[in-house]
Amino acid sequence: MTAKSMMPYVEGNSAIRAMFEEGARMAAQFGSENVYDFSLGNPSVPAPKEVDQAIRDILDEEDPLLIHGYNKSNSGYEDVRQTVADHLNRLHGTAFTSENILMTVGAASGLNIAMKTLLDPGDEVLAFAPYFVEYGNYAKNHGAFVTAIPANPPTFQPDLEGLEKAISEKTRAVIINSPNNPTGVVYSEDTLKEMAKILTRGSARIGHPIFIISDEPYRELAYDGVDVPYVTKYYANTIVGYSWSKSLSLPGERIGYLVIPSEIDDFENAIQAANIAGRVLGYVNAPTLIQRVAARCIECSTDIDAYDRNRRTIYEGLTEIGYECTKPEGAFYLFVKTPIEDDVEFCAMAKKHRILIVPGRSFACPGYVRLAYSVDHGTIQRSLPHFKDLLAETV
Ligand code: PLP
């Protein structure tokens, strides 16, 4: 019999499956060019050519027993981890070594490893709404729970007063995500400095360190030259989770890393615990061939300009029509205020216009919808008249 604890997930998943099926049915009925599917955060830009070339070169040049074998250390190849550390040091003026890097199976496994390393059952993780819904599921995996700090519209910068008030003796970590899914907001340096002060004060008050888990799969997807500050420089007790899912368009390859700085509290135990956590959670090590690909492609980037063009078209198009939204500075999402109160109802109305979008309450933020603009540019252009009709229907 299926575990009772899994049943809420099964029920939640059938809603997602129903949406996929509906999308496929609509594409078959109306033609895929007439369905405006903004529901999924799947990259719309192919991986850079260098990635495919690196795979071929590695297959030709490297020892098959090594590239397909278990890693000696669960943290990954020593030379790959050093390449990642050197890259970060060059970009951010940090001083990481291979010892601070743990290769992971995408950001998802990195976050689970970070949580297993830090959290005991009953511990609390604070998250700023709106946030990636899986955080709650990941925390639950470790007997912990997420408490949402209410959203702070229209800037959607984290509500720092809310953070200060929310800290309790159960608080072990705050999870942050910038550039943000679903708002596209980038947290400023001032925000991070103030957050660091609050967490330092809060840690002293409750008598144990509060960690930042910085979830950064969209770090490179930043527009208009906006700075995405590197969080470890502002707060010592920070673990960074990174992934190449979006930055190199490799979500199916499942590759990323954690940065566990030497400055964190109880570093020696934490680094070993993280190494063991990956193993006991069943990841064992990150995919070995793709680790080597990532290292060879460390300087490569995806076609940011394509996402930027989409961002401008959808933001300008929707605001011109009369929708309210915050201009995203990063990632590939737009968070739009719903013209009616009920975001689920609004998504149902949108579907009738062949527009597929996700309700804000899936991100602990009702009254908004998320659009993933990682789609073909023509889809955005063709969708705009339908968004106009949809808005007209609400007045
Ligand atoms: N964190 C956020 C905010 C995401 O949006 C995603 C994926 O969409 C992930 C984590 C998971 O990323 P990965 O595919 O690297 O596991």
Side-chain angles (χ1 to χ4, degrees):
M1 206 185 92
T2 308
K4 282 193 202 77
S5 58
M6 285 308 292
M7 290 322 287
Y9 296 98
V10 171
E11 281 142 27
N13 205 40
S14 46
I16 295 170
R17 227 177 33 215
M19 192 161 81
F20 285 154
E21 282 164 10
E22 180 75 357
R25 190 193 59 72
M26 281 163 50
Q29 186 178 350
F30 302 109
S32 56
E33 70 287 4
N34 297 314
V35 178
Y36 314 106
D37 188 350
F38 298 99
S39 62
L40 268 187
N42 220 358
S44 54
V45 172
K49 287 196 173 53
E50 288 93 330
V51 167
D52 292 348
Q53 191 56 48
I55 294 173
R56 287 191 196 95
D57 291 346
I58 291 166
L59 291 175
D60 287 344
E61 293 163 16
E62 300 198 25
D63 178 351
L65 284 177
L66 283 180
I67 59 175
H68 300 305
Y70 287 121
N71 276 142
K72 282 198 186 121
S73 159
N74 296 114
S75 296
Y77 288 109
E78 165 80 26
D79 63 331
V80 170
R81 291 157 55 214
Q82 189 60 49
T83 301
V84 170
D86 291 344
H87 177 70
L88 292 173
N89 297 341
R90 250 190 329 272
L91 287 177
H92 307 299
T94 44
F96 301 126
T97 70
S98 58
E99 206 193 4
N100 303 115
I101 310 297
L102 189 155
M103 304 305 292
T104 63
V105 184
S109 88
L111 296 175
N112 270 286
I113 290 169
M115 288 189 189
K116 187 152 184 75
T117 302
L118 298 177
L119 304 177
D120 279 314
D123 283 347
E124 174 183 64
V125 178
L126 298 175
F128 297 97
Y131 61 84
F132 182 53
V133 66
E134 297 286 32
Y135 295 159
N137 298 331
Y138 298 162
K140 249 193 239 167
N141 286 342
H142 313 292
F145 63 97
V146 164
T147 299
I149 298 169
N152 186 25
T155 66
F156 289 104
Q157 287 284 324
D159 173 4
L160 296 176
E161 272 178 31
L163 171 66
E164 182 126 54
K165 281 193 209 126
I167 292 171
S168 75
E169 281 179 8
K170 290 187 174 166
T171 309
R172 271 282 158 197
V174 180
I175 189 160
I176 63 173
N177 168 227
S178 166
N180 185 265
N181 174 10
T183 62
V185 163
V186 173
Y187 295 176
S188 67
E189 186 177 46
D190 283 349
T191 293
L192 291 176
K193 282 184 177 163
E194 193 51 36
M195 190 182 293
K197 280 190 207 153
I198 290 170
L199 293 179
T200 305
R201 275 202 301 272
S203 300
R205 174 160 62 80
I206 63 176
H208 65 246
I210 302 169
F211 280 79
I212 292 181
I213 301 174
S214 183
D215 178 27
E216 306 192 353
Y218 302 98
R219 166 160 285 280
E220 275 80 25
L221 271 57
Y223 312 108
D224 297 335
V226 65
D227 183 37
V228 185
Y230 207 71
V231 184
T232 62
K233 290 162 73 172
Y234 302 89
Y235 188 65
N237 280 321
T238 298
I239 294 182
V240 178
Y242 180 82
S243 136
W244 281 280
S245 293
K246 318 288 160 136
S247 61
L248 287 184
S249 296
L250 295 175
E253 301 298 350
R254 314 305 305 136
I255 186 73
Y257 59 82
L258 283 180
V259 181
I260 306 182
S262 306
E263 293 73 26
I264 67 165
D265 189 73
D266 199 23
F267 171 74
E268 292 299 332
N269 281 327
I271 197 79
Q272 285 195 60
N275 185 286
I276 296 162
R279 198 181 80 220
V280 301
L281 287 169
Y283 302 121
V284 184
N285 55 237
T288 41
L289 171 64
I290 303 298
Q291 284 188 50
R292 307 211 63 75
V293 172
R296 285 196 188 210
C297 298
I298 197 96
E299 301 291 347
C300 292
S301 63
T302 187
D303 182 2
I304 307 275
D305 293 343
Y307 291 130
D308 192 14
R309 184 165 169 242
N310 285 359
R311 175 183 72 117
R312 288 168 195 279
T313 306
I314 195 146
Y315 173 73
E316 284 159 19
L318 291 188
T319 46
E320 225 163 80
I321 291 168
Y323 286 96
E324 275 178 56
C325 44
T326 305
K327 188 171 188 181
E329 297 180 294
F332 43 50
Y333 306 104
L334 186 69
F335 208 49
V336 181
K337 195 165 179 0
T338 50
I340 59 169
E341 207 179 314
D342 187 338
D343 47 323
V344 172
E345 170 65 20
F346 185 68
C347 289
M349 287 171 70
K351 217 190 278 170
K352 294 195 184 124
H353 295 263
R354 288 178 262 125
I355 296 169
L356 301 179
I357 47 183
V358 182
R361 71 186 64 182
S362 306
F363 303 90
C365 191
Y368 291 82
V369 283
R370 188 197 76 172
L371 282 67
Y373 58 80
S374 51
V375 296
D376 169 64
H377 189 249
T379 301
I380 297 176
Q381 288 172 311
R382 287 192 302 279
S383 72
L384 291 175
H386 300 275
F387 274 108
K388 194 171 180 180
D389 292 347
L390 171 61
L391 186 62
E393 202 185 310
T394 63
V395 287

